[in-house]
Amino acid sequence: MFTDLVSNWRFPVVLWVIAGFGIMRWFAKKHVVTSDSATRSVRLLMQFGMSLLGATILLLLQQNKNAFEAFKTPSVIPLCGFGSAIACYFHWKAMGISLSKVSIFAIWDDIIAMTLSYIVLKEGRFLNSGIIGGVLLAIISVTLLGKYSQQKTAEARATDNALYRYILTYSVLWGVARFSIRYFSAHDLPVSVFLVNWYFGATVAALCIVLQTYWSTTETRHMSVPTIMKRDVGIMCLYGLGIVTCMYIEFWAYKAPHVVVQPIFLVSEALLSTAIGLWIFREKERLDRHETAYMGIGLLSTVLIALSF
């Protein structure tokens, strides 16, 4: 019975929704995201370092030729991992401002990933009026929120502008990254080989961010990387292993047809992560009726696209 459950395509999909959009988003907002740039950069390095370690152990445990194949894969995978780490950095910064808004606009990296799938994987036959309408609603939602933010006080306007810059940056990077997951899962690349290459690139990017943060301003010159690591090692070990586990589950879930799992992921992220931000972290108290309405349009765009697959 358990074997039948695990072999069912719904099993990894449900696991990913609960772990990726629920538990990990709550944990990141509660324990990982911070406004201190030095701590944030070191935590990013610890996260991907632990993820790389976990992926390497998984590769070695398989006890087959995959361990050697890890060094023969296309260089585009580490590059995508590199971009994903930068996206994660900006995602953390955005989550620190508003998890609910981040979740509503999570559709943009999916739109980019779907566009690449239509072009590269020849999935344009799945494009229809519902998807086009959903994309237009998403554009309207972003436009209305952007214009409305310009009517706020200078401080609130600066915060909103920063949030939208972060969202734009990581949406482009993650859109390409998500497409690469779909592309290589569709080409039967062993997941352990994919993960080692992915997290190698991500760890290199995180190291670059630590160095850039250290040398960017005199305020961060006093940062002690060993001190931060010692303080946060427990949290980041747990989070890093959780991340690589979720990536494994996501790669597994994408073995099913894209048009089957993508609608589930779209709606789940928009609803579950947004609900966590609004009610658990009480972000609803900082929204007025205009922002609520415009975010509602964004949620509607996600549902429309999901129903159109």
Side-chain angles (χ1 to χ4, degrees):
M1 180 177 179
F2 179 75
T3 304
D4 293 337
L5 176 63
V6 173
S7 62
N8 192 305
W9 66 268
R10 297 177 181 85
F11 184 72
V13 171
V14 173
L15 276 182
W16 169 244
V17 168
I18 296 173
F21 299 142
I23 297 173
M24 295 304 291
R25 292 293 170 86
W26 169 83
F27 191 91
K29 177 76 173 179
K30 181 75 173 178
H31 299 290
V32 178
V33 173
T34 175
S35 59
D36 180 67
S37 60
T39 300
R40 180 169 55 238
S41 62
V42 174
R43 285 181 175 178
L44 190 77
L45 177 60
M46 294 173 68
Q47 168 194 313
F48 287 118
M50 286 304 303
S51 297
L52 177 60
L53 176 62
T56 303
I57 292 173
L58 175 65
L59 181 68
L60 296 175
L61 287 177
Q62 291 187 339
Q63 298 180 347
N64 56 32
K65 64 178 182 179
N66 288 347
F68 301 99
E69 291 177 357
F71 303 100
K72 302 178 183 178
T73 51
S75 58
V76 69
I77 302 179
L79 286 175
C80 288
F82 189 97
S84 178
I86 298 174
C88 182
Y89 182 78
F90 284 102
H91 186 246
W92 283 5
K93 296 181 75 170
M95 283 177 61
I97 298 174
S98 175
L99 174 59
S100 54
K101 287 184 178 179
V102 164
S103 302
I104 285 293
F105 294 124
I107 188 177
W108 281 102
D109 56 71
D110 291 295
I111 289 175
I112 294 171
M114 286 188 294
T115 301
L116 290 172
S117 293
Y118 294 148
I119 297 172
V120 179
L121 298 180
K122 309 300 182 183
E123 294 182 348
R125 63 186 182 279
F126 300 117
L127 187 65
N128 55 49
S129 59
I131 293 177
I132 295 174
V135 171
L136 291 176
L137 281 178
I139 294 173
I140 292 172
S141 175
V142 170
T143 302
L144 290 174
L145 277 169
K147 286 187 175 181
Y148 184 70
S149 68
Q150 301 307 310
Q151 303 174 19
K152 297 182 179 180
T153 63
E155 182 179 358
R157 185 165 61 248
T159 300
D160 281 353
N161 289 341
L163 173 64
Y164 298 138
R165 285 198 305 272
Y166 300 153
I167 291 175
L168 175 62
T169 301
Y170 73 70
S171 292
V172 172
L173 291 171
W174 263 343
V176 176
R178 285 186 182 278
F179 166 74
S180 73
I181 295 174
R182 167 60 180 154
Y183 180 85
F184 287 108
S185 64
H187 285 72
D188 294 324
L189 181 71
V191 62
S192 56
V193 174
F194 177 87
L195 290 175
V196 167
N197 281 270
W198 181 280
Y199 285 117
F200 173 77
T203 303
V204 172
L207 180 59
C208 291
I209 291 174
V210 169
L211 295 175
Q212 188 276 332
T213 302
Y214 182 81
W215 291 108
S216 60
T217 64
T218 55
E219 295 178 359
T220 58
R221 295 288 176 84
H222 69 279
M223 68 181 277
S224 172
V225 174
T227 299
I228 297 175
M229 284 186 168
K230 182 178 179 180
R231 183 193 65 198
D232 296 340
V233 63
I235 290 176
M236 296 315 299
C237 282
L238 182 61
Y239 188 69
L241 292 176
I243 287 294
V244 73
T245 301
C246 285
M247 177 65 83
Y248 182 96
I249 295 171
E250 183 178 12
F251 194 95
W252 180 13
Y254 273 113
K255 293 290 185 180
H258 194 108
V259 294
V260 175
V261 299
Q262 196 62 31
I264 300 173
F265 290 161
L266 284 173
V267 175
S268 298
E269 182 171 17
L271 294 178
L272 185 55
S273 298
T274 300
I276 291 173
L278 290 176
W279 283 282
I280 294 182
F281 294 104
R282 300 185 180 280
E283 293 176 358
K284 63 178 181 177
E285 298 173 1
R286 302 200 300 267
L287 299 175
D288 59 26
R289 59 187 179 86
H290 294 93
E291 288 180 305
T292 302
Y294 301 153
M295 287 176 64
I297 295 175
L299 178 60
L300 180 61
S301 71
T302 301
V303 175
L304 182 57
I305 290 175
L307 293 176
S308 301
F309 272 86

